[in-house]
Amino acid sequence: MTQIIPPFLQPGDEVAILSPASFPPTDNWKQGVEVLENWGLRVRNAPNYLSRHHGLGGTDAERLSDLQQMLDDPSIKAIFPIRGGYGVSRLLDSLDFSGFVSSPKWIVGFSDITALLCELDSIGYASVHGPMPHNFCQKGGESALQNLHSLLFEGNVSVTAPAHALNRLGEASAEIIGGNLSLLCHLVGSSTFASTEGKILFIEEIGERLYHVDRMLLQLKRAGYFQNLAGLILGGFTDCNEASLTIGKSAYELVAEHTSGTSFPIAFDFPAGHIPNNQPVLFGVKSKLLVNSQKVQLTVI
């Protein structure tokens, strides 16, 4: 299925910020709004964008209302969740995408926003796995932010990363899907994340014990998600450490183990995920993955 690409942004476009998952713990998101305004965009705050309900950015009803309103509004050209956290998957079954289909727009995010990006992919629309306003301005993220601008306004980006000892060499040209490993496992068995066949799968994680990582990789493997990939990209596995129950391998070594016997190219330690240099990855649009002995290069075709 060929994915529909929303119109690229232009100065003067109106975009929305909201909190469909957790609320922002600091005011860092205000710098993110300044970045969007410096790009020439007009920023609209969703009505409940700073609401709090326990650890979430408002009640389910408030978060759903904000997201639905911005999906429906044809004047909104992009939606920027302020941050991830938890809560997006609680909204998926209540969302109506008919207004979005009439006026497609970019949705940009990562972490818990993986659930929304996968839902968009399942209904045939491109989206961007990339930095969100709360972490736009962290030190080390300058290149990622510049590339996000290029992607959203011009439709092109190419990211180069150093070679890694575990890389499997090769080339692949295919659409990309994926995101946070915990979220992907959470979505297995649902229409939101039904298949990876013929696609490049991207995976990243943060804060999981290594035996949890092993368990989740095994789940994807046993469910067939590694069988017919065009390629595999591993982003940051940040703060994934041994626990009292040790596994004896690093996260990347576990990936290498569970993908043995396959032949697609694999790129380890790609600069994306819960890291400062969180490079944007375009989901649902054919990209070229090149893995050779000198480098890894990911380019939107």
Side-chain angles (χ1 to χ4, degrees):
M1 178 172 62
T2 300
Q3 307 293 67
I4 294 172
I5 303 173
F8 295 112
L9 298 182
Q10 301 177 22
D13 281 348
E14 188 172 17
V15 301
I17 63 167
L18 37 64
S19 298
S22 299
F23 60 83
T26 72
D27 286 341
N28 291 349
W29 61 272
K30 293 181 179 179
Q31 293 177 282
V33 170
E34 291 178 8
V35 168
L36 295 174
E37 291 173 341
N38 288 338
W39 287 356
L41 301 171
R42 295 179 293 126
V43 179
R44 187 195 304 180
N45 303 329
N48 303 293
Y49 79 117
L50 292 181
S51 294
R52 296 190 180 196
H53 181 72
H54 300 290
L56 304 180
T59 64
D60 286 357
E62 288 172 329
R63 298 185 341 272
L64 176 64
S65 174
D66 279 5
L67 182 53
Q68 190 65 65
Q69 178 180 332
M70 297 311 165
L71 288 172
D72 289 344
D73 192 332
S75 66
I76 296 295
K77 304 304 181 184
I79 296 173
F80 293 89
I82 295 174
R83 62 159 298 188
Y86 175 71
V88 170
S89 58
R90 296 180 59 87
L91 312 179
L92 292 181
D93 291 337
S94 300
L95 289 170
D96 178 355
F97 285 94
S98 56
F100 173 87
V101 169
S102 298
S103 57
K105 59 207 69 185
W106 291 102
I107 297 181
V108 181
F110 71 107
S111 194
D112 194 63
I113 312 303
T114 293
L116 186 55
L117 303 185
C118 286
E119 184 71 15
L120 290 171
D121 183 79
S122 74
I123 63 171
Y125 288 83
S127 62
V128 178
H129 182 284
M132 295 178 282
H134 186 259
N135 47 44
F136 268 1
C137 297
Q138 60 184 323
K139 186 176 180 180
E142 298 81 8
S143 167
L145 194 58
Q146 182 177 352
N147 280 335
L148 179 63
H149 179 275
S150 297
L151 185 54
L152 290 173
F153 282 79
E154 301 162 17
N156 58 64
V157 68
S158 182
V159 178
T160 302
H164 190 279
L166 290 174
N167 281 357
R168 185 190 290 163
L169 309 187
E171 292 185 28
S173 294
E175 296 176 6
I176 306 175
I177 189 56
N180 180 260
L181 176 59
S182 297
L183 268 293
L184 297 179
C185 288
H186 167 55
L187 298 170
V188 166
S190 72
S191 60
T192 302
F193 185 52
S195 173
T196 56
E197 184 171 356
K199 295 185 177 183
I200 298 170
L201 178 62
F202 167 76
I203 301 175
E204 63 86 31
E205 188 52 273
I206 183 172
E208 291 288 350
R209 297 300 192 187
L210 286 175
Y211 75 91
H212 290 174
V213 171
D214 188 46
R215 178 186 288 155
M216 291 188 287
L217 291 170
L218 271 167
Q219 183 176 0
L220 291 184
K221 178 184 179 180
R222 298 187 71 229
Y225 284 79
F226 294 155
Q227 283 181 1
N228 298 299
L229 291 178
L232 179 62
I233 301 172
L234 286 307
F237 275 68
T238 308
D239 296 331
C240 292
N241 303 309
E242 292 277 25
S244 55
L245 193 166
T246 58
I247 198 73
K249 294 185 178 183
S250 70
Y252 290 158
E253 287 170 339
L254 290 168
V255 172
E257 176 188 358
H258 294 313
T259 55
S260 63
T262 58
S263 58
F264 47 79
I266 304 179
F268 288 86
D269 204 21
F270 189 82
H274 287 79
I275 57 175
N277 186 23
N278 181 18
Q279 292 289 337
V281 178
L282 182 57
F283 283 1
V285 176
K286 186 173 281 190
S287 296
K288 180 180 179 180
L289 173 64
L290 170 66
V291 185
N292 62 29
S293 58
Q294 286 80 43
K295 65 180 180 181
V296 170
Q297 189 164 29
L298 184 65
T299 306
V300 176
I301 299 177

